[in-house]
């Protein structure tokens, strides 16, 4: 428990080093293996395989969003209760999270396998492309429990005071995934099926390592003896608190579907492949931003619970500054070397390279500020203000962007689809800053 108590007294720069660096390292490694997935598919299966995985990716995202909701919601509430020294409630929250992960996972697998065929058939895709989508989707659905456990337990492990162990587990998962990618895609020529299988098996390995930490009694927060199904107040708090990151991730999946439909409507499967490559490239940066946001979340939650508000805002300011610097550096790198990044996935298809370059250069303007929006939104999650966090997430991922995706291509052609993301990110940042300014004024009155 000593690791946790240091959160309210240790030097902030040291704390950020201890928590943020392992968090960034872990999430960046996840980003790297996601990119390598795309490289293997792009170079062995080709543009059509990339399009198939891109069309199936919303399934992976939708399942992952459940894990994010439970993990983010439970970990934030646990940290706040640790700050209040309410260790019994923290243990009850942990057990509730475990039980609902299992229940929800089985429901998702059952319903997913029941409905995936008619849903994909309704898209009226070319037969070969439809097969790729179904192959990838079904394996991911079967492995839902592994994915949800792996995603949920990572923030719980960090909030338990073990950020380095989290980084080690994520590293092992990533290395295992990359090795399996090579064996299944290249050696056994399983293509898209191999990529999906590698992802599920890597997540299963991570789940077992996370579970070992909590079940073998090594954790600071112990598993409670409560019955999580007899009363629902705890799971309601978890869902409310985790709703913001859940809606962000789920909305991303919905937006991918809408993007894919619009790209096919105004372009072709080549544009879907280009969109997939842009997502792979920018997912690396997205993971960096997530790493910083998730790294400072335990620090903010604990100090907020302990009423150390000056430390809360000092941590937040440092996180915003770091994300702003990374955004500027990333923007300049992509602006200077877009073709080099794109050719990693497919160096021979000149049409694909040209199409992707246009999309990446436009999308780059969103990457510039994305990290700032994410860490500011995370503040409201970390301080258990789910309504504001949820509203901000909905603004960026649904309210602003959906009308833009539908309207912009009517006036600006296919490039309008790319510009819709940029528009929504800047509108979302303006609204987020408004709420942060209000929050700062409110807290100053309490200091």
């Amino acid at each position: 428990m000593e690791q946790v108590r240091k959160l309210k007294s240790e030097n902030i720069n040291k704390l950020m080093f201890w928590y943020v660096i392992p968090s960034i390292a872990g999430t960046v490694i996840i980003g790297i293996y996601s990119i390598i997935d795309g490289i293997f598919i792009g170079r062995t299966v080709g543009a059509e395989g990339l399009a198939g995985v891109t069309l199936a990716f919303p399934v992976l995202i939708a399942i992952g969003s459940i894990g994010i909701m439970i993990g983010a919601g439970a970990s934030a509430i646990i940290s706040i209760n640790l700050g209040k020294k309410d260790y019994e409630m923290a243990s009850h929250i942990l057990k509730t999270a475990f039980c609902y992960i299992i229940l929800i996972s089985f429901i998702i697998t059952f319903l997913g396998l029941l409905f995936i065929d008619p849903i994909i058939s309704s898209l009226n895709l070319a037969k070969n492309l439809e097969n790729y989508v179904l192959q990838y989707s079904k394996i991911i659905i079967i492995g839902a429990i592994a994915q949800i456990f792996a995603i949920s337990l990572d923030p719980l492990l960090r909030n338990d005071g073990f950020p380095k162990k989290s980084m080690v587990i994520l590293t092992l998962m990533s290395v295992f995934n990359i090795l399996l990618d090579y064996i299944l895609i290249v050696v056994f020529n399983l293509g898209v099926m191999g990529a999906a299988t590698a992802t599920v098996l890597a997540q299963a390995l991570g789940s077992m390592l996370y579970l070992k930490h909590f079940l073998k009694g090594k954790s600071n927060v112990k598993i409670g003896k409560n019955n999580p199904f007899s009363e629902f107040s705890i799971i309601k708090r978890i869902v409310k608190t985790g709703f913001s990151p859940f809606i962000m991730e789920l909305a991303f999946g919905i937006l991918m579907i809408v993007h894919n439909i619009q790209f096919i409507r105004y372009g072709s499967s080549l544009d879907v492949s280009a969109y997939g490559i842009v997502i792979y490239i920018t997912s690396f940066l997205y993971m960096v931003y997530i790493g910083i946001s998730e790294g400072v979340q335990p620090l903010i939650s604990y100090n907020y619970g302990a009423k150390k508000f000056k430390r809360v805002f000092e941590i937040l300011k440092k996180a915003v500054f770091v994300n702003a610097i990374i955004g500027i550096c990333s923007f300049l790198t992509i602006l200077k070397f877009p073709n080099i990044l794109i050719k990693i996935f497919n160096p021979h298809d000149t049409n694909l390279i040209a199409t992707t370059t246009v999309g990446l250069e436009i999308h780059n303007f969103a990457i510039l500020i994305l990290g700032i929006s994410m860490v500011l939104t995370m503040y409201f999650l970390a301080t258990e203000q789910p309504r504001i966090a949820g509203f901000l997430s909905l603004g960026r991922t649904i309210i602003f962007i959906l009308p833009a995706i539908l309207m912009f291509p009517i006036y600006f052609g296919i490039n309008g689809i790319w510009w819709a993301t940029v528009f929504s990110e800047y509108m979302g940042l303006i609204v987020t800053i408004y709420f942060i300014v209000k929050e700062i004024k409110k807290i100053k009155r309490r200091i």
Side-chain angles (χ1 to χ4, degrees), residues 115-132:
F115 292 110
I116 189 64
D117 281 282
I119 289 172
I120 300 304
S121 296
S122 69
L123 297 176
N124 294 319
L125 303 171
K127 194 64 182 175
N128 200 35
L129 189 58
E130 183 180 300
N131 286 337
Y132 285 139

Side-chain angles (χ1 to χ4, degrees), residues 217-229:
K218 297 178 180 178
S219 58
N220 288 312
V221 181
K222 308 303 180 185
I223 298 174
K225 297 179 180 180
N226 59 309
N227 181 356
F229 301 114

Side-chain angles (χ1 to χ4, degrees), residues 126-144:
K127 194 64 182 175
N128 200 35
L129 189 58
E130 183 180 300
N131 286 337
Y132 285 139
V133 178
L134 285 173
Q135 287 171 10
Y136 194 90
S137 299
K138 286 183 177 180
I139 292 172
I140 294 299
I141 290 169
I142 290 169

Side-chain angles (χ1 to χ4, degrees), residues 199-216:
T199 297
V200 169
L201 291 177
Q203 289 166 339
L205 171 67
S207 297
M208 288 187 288
L209 294 173
Y210 287 124
L211 286 168
K212 181 182 177 183
H213 170 83
F214 288 103
L215 298 178
K216 291 290 184 179

Side-chain angles (χ1 to χ4, degrees), residues 21 43-45 56 80 85 110 134 149 166 183 192 201 244 270 272 304 307 318 347 361 376 385 394 408:
I21 297 302
R43 286 175 173 260
T44 57
V45 185
I80 290 172
K85 299 186 177 358
F110 175 75
L134 285 173
F149 256 121
S166 163
I183 294 168
V192 168
L201 291 177
S244 170
L270 183 72
V272 175
Y304 189 87
K307 301 188 185 304
K318 289 178 183 293
E361 289 177 343
L376 291 178
Q385 299 183 64
L394 282 171
F408 280 21

Side-chain angles (χ1 to χ4, degrees), residues 162-236:
F162 292 87
K164 289 183 180 178
K165 183 181 278 193
S166 163
M167 179 185 71
V168 170
I169 293 174
L170 289 172
T171 302
L172 290 173
M173 284 173 58
S174 302
V175 171
F176 190 52
N177 193 317
I178 292 167
L179 288 173
L180 287 176
D181 270 341
Y182 177 77
I183 294 168
L184 298 177
I185 299 174
V186 178
V187 177
F188 289 100
N189 198 31
L190 292 178
V192 168
M193 286 180 64
T197 304
T199 297
V200 169
L201 291 177
Q203 289 166 339
L205 171 67
S207 297
M208 288 187 288
L209 294 173
Y210 287 124
L211 286 168
K212 181 182 177 183
H213 170 83
F214 288 103
L215 298 178
K216 291 290 184 179
K218 297 178 180 178
S219 58
N220 288 312
V221 181
K222 308 303 180 185
I223 298 174
K225 297 179 180 180
N226 59 309
N227 181 356
F229 301 114
S230 64
E231 49 90 21
F232 300 103
S233 60
I234 293 177
I235 190 62
K236 284 180 181 178

Side-chain angles (χ1 to χ4, degrees), residues 47-48 50-52 54-55 125-126 129 259-276 349 351-352 355 414 417-418:
E48 188 122 314
L50 273 173
T54 304
L55 287 164
L125 303 171
L129 189 58
H259 272 96
N260 290 333
I261 291 171
Q262 290 292 82
F263 278 126
I264 289 174
R265 180 182 177 186
Y266 289 92
S268 66
S269 61
L270 183 72
D271 297 285
V272 175
S273 300
Y275 177 58
D349 193 329
N351 289 332
L352 180 59
T355 302
I414 200 163
I417 303 172
W418 296 106

